[in-house]
Amino acid sequence: MGEPLRLAVLVSGKGSNLVAIVGAAERGDLQATVVVVISDRPEAGAIPWAQSKGICTEILPPQGLDRPAYAERLQQLLDRHRPDLIVLAGFMRILDAGFTERWSGRVLNIHPSLLPALTGLHTHRRALEAGLDHHGCTVHFVTGELDGGPPVIQASLAVQPGEDEASLSARVQALEHRIFPEAIGWFAEGRLEMKAGSAWLDGQRLESPVMREES
Ligand code: GAR
């Protein structure tokens, strides 16, 4: 077996997806190691959790940096830690187009909706307001188009009558914790790549993302 895939995990929040990824690696379900966790917010809960696991952490606040300057600083951190794949696990900043071009095919994001529905923020609230009967999450490759890169895998659930935003968010996050490590695992095994603007799994172009249902 080769070396585990080196992951840089970028976060802004509590880090439940980071916990799921590290858990999958610890169980041996994912041949990967988190070489650095980078947060734009010093108060992100993911940071003390990563430190408690002995994972290297970096804080890169955006203050005083425009988008290209932020990307340059981020690149310097990445040069130091040499990841094979960047994982956006609740990282709430838009990355510079030059940066996403440079890292093309090596950045995965988790988004809390069934893309292309509900790009952007507050997806659970907007799903409820729109009266959607199904909602979920998507792992996709990151390109210069916000939440628009080729999708890899989605998980969906049926919205329950009378359900509130907190409940929907918790149910979707449980799905995120399943499909994000799964997609990263495919990449680690050399089964997943981005080519000619599409996601490819096991040598087949994905016409649509792999689908999972809430169980
Ligand atoms: C996740 O639910 C993720 O889908 C969302 O942020 C949350 C982070 O939670 N990402 C986005 O909204 C990106 N546009 P976590 O810090 O507990 O992993």
Side-chain angles (χ1 to χ4, degrees):
M1 201 186 300
E3 290 294 302
L5 189 79
R6 297 172 63 83
L7 302 177
V9 181
L10 274 56
V11 298
S12 301
K14 69 179 192 286
S16 67
N17 279 283
L18 170 69
V19 173
I21 292 162
V22 171
E26 283 177 348
R27 286 193 305 276
D29 294 343
L30 171 60
Q31 299 307 315
T33 181
V34 178
V35 294
V36 65
V37 173
I38 302 174
S39 175
D40 58 333
R41 294 176 60 243
E43 66 276 27
I47 291 298
W49 184 83
Q51 288 169 344
S52 77
K53 301 293 276 187
I55 300 170
C56 181
T57 61
E58 307 270 9
I59 309 291
L60 185 54
Q63 285 78 17
L65 301 172
D66 63 10
R67 202 175 283 167
Y70 192 86
E72 204 178 305
R73 296 283 300 280
L74 185 56
Q75 183 62 51
Q76 287 167 3
L77 289 179
L78 296 169
D79 286 343
R80 208 179 305 152
H81 296 282
R82 295 175 291 102
D84 302 309
L85 180 71
I86 300 174
V87 170
L88 305 184
F91 185 66
M92 302 307 276
R93 309 203 68 74
I94 297 173
L95 292 166
D96 179 67
F99 181 90
T100 54
E101 184 58 35
R102 176 173 185 170
W103 284 89
S104 179
R106 291 182 296 155
V107 189
L108 288 175
N109 180 47
I110 183 104
H111 182 78
S113 78
L114 296 170
L115 290 172
L118 303 175
T119 60
L121 299 175
H122 310 301
T123 55
H124 308 306
R125 188 187 317 162
R126 288 161 56 213
L128 291 170
E129 282 167 1
L132 299 184
D133 56 6
H134 278 79
H135 183 46
C137 50
T138 306
V139 176
H140 66 94
F141 281 107
V142 172
T143 63
E145 191 190 341
L146 181 66
D147 301 329
V152 173
I153 182 170
Q154 295 188 318
S156 85
L157 52 71
V159 178
Q160 301 298 323
E163 181 157 32
D164 65 12
E165 190 179 343
S167 151
L168 190 55
S169 161
R171 288 173 62 214
V172 170
Q173 277 218 326
L175 297 178
E176 294 182 9
H177 302 158
R178 280 174 43 201
I179 66 169
F180 212 4
E182 188 171 9
I184 296 165
W186 291 337
F187 192 94
E189 292 161 13
R191 298 172 55 194
L192 175 66
E193 61 181 331
M194 188 174 105
K195 228 170 36 183
S198 295
W200 294 65
L201 182 62
D202 295 330
Q204 304 282 326
R205 191 169 84 86
L206 292 176
E207 306 288 341
S208 55
V210 175
M211 283 304 303
R212 300 279 181 255
E213 306 286 333
E214 186 180 46
S215 49

